[in-house]
Each structure stands twice: as C-alpha cells, then as structure tokens.
Amino acid sequence: MLRISQRSAGYPVTLDEAKAQLRVSSTKNDALISGLIGAATGHCEALVQRAFVPRTFQWVLPCWRPVIEIPIAPVTHDAVHSIKYVDWATETQQTLDPATYVVQTAGDSVRIFPKFGMSWPLAFSHAPEPIVIEFDAGYEDIDDLPAVVKTCVMLQIRHLYSVGETNPALVRDLVIGVSDKAWQLSPDVKTLIPDAVTLLMLSEVW
C-alpha cells in the first residue's frame, strides 16, 4: 500500500490555467475545478508511476524483499527518511538503523538492500503494518516536468468537467413510442480524451 502522508501545496496546473482552458470566468465553480485539478493530476501520475509535485509518501510492505525498489519516481538518495518495522520478538515498532542498509540511486528511483554481510531483521508479519518506508518523491521544480504533463492534465480536466454537459459531441437517444427524449454521450466520445491522455503520457520517455 502506497499512501501520501504529506501533500503538496500545488499542482502542475494552476486554478487560473484550468479556468482559462475551460473558458470559465466566474468563481462559483472554483472549488469544483480545484478538485478536478487534483483528480486529473493523480490520474496522469498513476499512468506513469511518477509524482509530479513534491510529497511525502509511506509505503507499507507485508514482508521484507531482498531488494526493495521504491515504486514511484523521482526519488533521490537522501529522500528516504526512515524504515520502520514491527519487531518479531517484542511486537513493537522499531526504526531500522540507516547504517545497516544501502540506499542506491538508480536513475530517478531508489533501491534499498542490506549492507554486505547483514540481513533484514525479523519482522512480525501479522502486524497491521509490518514494514513502513517513508520517503519524499516528486519534481522540486515544475519547470523540470516534461511539457506533455501539463497538456495531459489540462485535457483530463476538460474531460472531467464536460462529462454530462450538453455539447456537440452528444447524441440523441429516442425511445420509439415514448414522447420523452434523453441525451447521452456517444460511447466513442466517452473514451476519446482519456485515451488521448494515456497515449500522450506513455509516449514520453521517462
């Protein structure tokens, strides 16, 4: 389980940029649009397993691995704050001595393994959270992000905001013999923008 323990104050796209993209000038939907910025950013991050803005994460593991590879990038060598585990004998949480393991940078990611001649301590696997690794991930400078990131976040915001809105991409559904008419999104249009976002994000060399 990967969770965020400390969130960032910003996103790759600002509220003003999102409103300009949506051609919205009023402030009545600012809270909604702000939420969509976060949702769109999270969607794009999940596609490529990257953190676009700095945050502190906690990764919960059920057991030790011979080599622990942090599942999200970018992470620097000194961004691993602590490794905590529930001791097998005492069933209490302990902090692993940094002198007993190696934090190795591999590109934007990090690999962690015991120092030569040492091994991971016995962890109580029946604990709710046997092992917890806390670390920072994300780009310190937004300008270091590939340009495609902002484009994809903007597209996803547009998609989330427009779903359910009446627009030229909608098709009319007529029920024969019934006077009521309903409007619904074409199946192709429903996935058009999300598919484009996925293709753009995965086309980038990370």
Side-chain angles (χ1 to χ4, degrees):
M1 177 179 66
L2 187 66
R3 65 189 178 210
I4 299 171
S5 62
Q6 184 176 337
R7 297 185 177 274
S8 172
Y11 290 106
V13 172
T14 66
L15 177 61
D16 288 341
E17 288 173 332
K19 290 175 69 174
Q21 164 73 6
L22 299 173
R23 295 177 181 160
V24 173
S25 57
S26 68
T27 60
K28 68 177 183 178
N29 285 333
D30 280 7
L32 170 63
I33 297 171
S34 294
L36 295 181
I37 293 172
T41 300
H43 174 80
C44 293
E45 287 178 327
L47 288 173
V48 292
Q49 292 186 284
R50 313 282 290 195
F52 298 150
V53 290
R55 276 161 290 175
T56 300
F57 293 84
Q58 289 182 339
W59 189 25
V60 181
L61 295 173
C63 61
W64 296 110
R65 301 176 181 178
V67 177
I68 297 172
E69 297 186 10
I70 300 296
I72 194 168
V75 180
T76 59
H77 175 276
D78 58 355
V80 177
H81 299 313
S82 66
I83 300 177
K84 297 183 178 180
Y85 69 99
V86 178
D87 181 67
W88 175 266
T90 63
E91 297 185 19
T92 59
Q93 190 179 64
Q94 306 290 328
T95 299
L96 195 60
D97 184 355
T100 63
Y101 58 87
V102 175
V103 179
Q104 182 185 72
T105 302
D108 288 334
S109 298
V110 156
R111 301 167 75 241
I112 307 171
F113 49 88
K115 282 192 174 179
F116 180 75
M118 307 192 77
S119 59
W120 298 121
L122 287 176
F124 184 58
S125 60
H126 298 296
E129 298 185 351
I131 302 161
V132 180
I133 302 173
E134 186 169 87
F135 62 93
D136 292 335
Y139 292 82
E140 294 292 339
D141 190 343
I142 292 295
D143 292 335
D144 291 336
L145 280 172
V148 71
V149 169
K150 179 170 283 192
T151 300
C152 288
V153 172
M154 288 280 211
L155 282 172
Q156 187 66 12
I157 291 169
R158 162 64 69 182
H159 171 70
L160 294 173
Y161 191 78
S162 63
V163 168
E165 295 287 329
T166 301
N167 60 58
L170 295 178
V171 295
R172 187 168 62 180
D173 180 34
L174 293 176
V175 181
I176 303 300
V178 180
S179 60
D180 291 340
K181 291 182 289 187
W183 292 81
Q184 64 181 10
L185 279 170
S186 161
D188 292 336
V189 172
K190 285 182 180 180
T191 61
L192 183 64
I193 293 180
D195 287 350
V197 169
T198 300
L199 288 173
L200 283 171
M201 290 301 298
L202 298 182
S203 67
E204 181 68 30
V205 178
W206 297 97

